[in-house]
Amino acid sequence: LLLQDQNAPAAAPCHPDDYRALRAFAINLTGAGAGALRAAWSSSLAAVCCAWDGVACGADGRVASLRLPGRGLAWP
């Protein structure tokens, strides 16, 4: 399920601070879904984090929320 604010520019590059924070978050995940999420977030759209699965951005193009329920993820 893709969660994205319909007013946010889908092709806008990820803000560098948002990108670093999301990548650091993903690297530290464990559980059955961690590898799949990291792979999805490392695709050819890696610099467009508002298009990432579970990431919702506001009208300003900045990450506003993260929703990843039921994916078998764990935080250390």
Side-chain angles (χ1 to χ4, degrees), residues 60-75:
D60 62 356
R62 297 292 307 265
V63 173
S65 66
L66 184 62
R67 295 188 181 108
L68 301 166
R71 296 176 189 268
L73 302 173
W75 185 260

Side-chain angles (χ1 to χ4, degrees), residues 2-76:
L2 177 66
L3 299 174
Q4 180 178 342
D5 184 326
Q6 297 302 315
N7 297 319
C14 197
H15 187 281
D17 294 338
D18 294 344
Y19 179 79
R20 282 189 294 271
L22 288 168
R23 293 296 297 151
F25 170 76
I27 287 168
N28 286 295
L29 288 174
T30 60
L37 183 69
R38 282 192 294 273
W41 285 8
S42 297
S43 72
S44 61
L45 295 175
V48 188
C49 61
C50 290
W52 291 355
D53 191 26
V55 176
C57 293
D60 62 356
R62 297 292 307 265
V63 173
S65 66
L66 184 62
R67 295 188 181 108
L68 301 166
R71 296 176 189 268
L73 302 173
W75 185 260

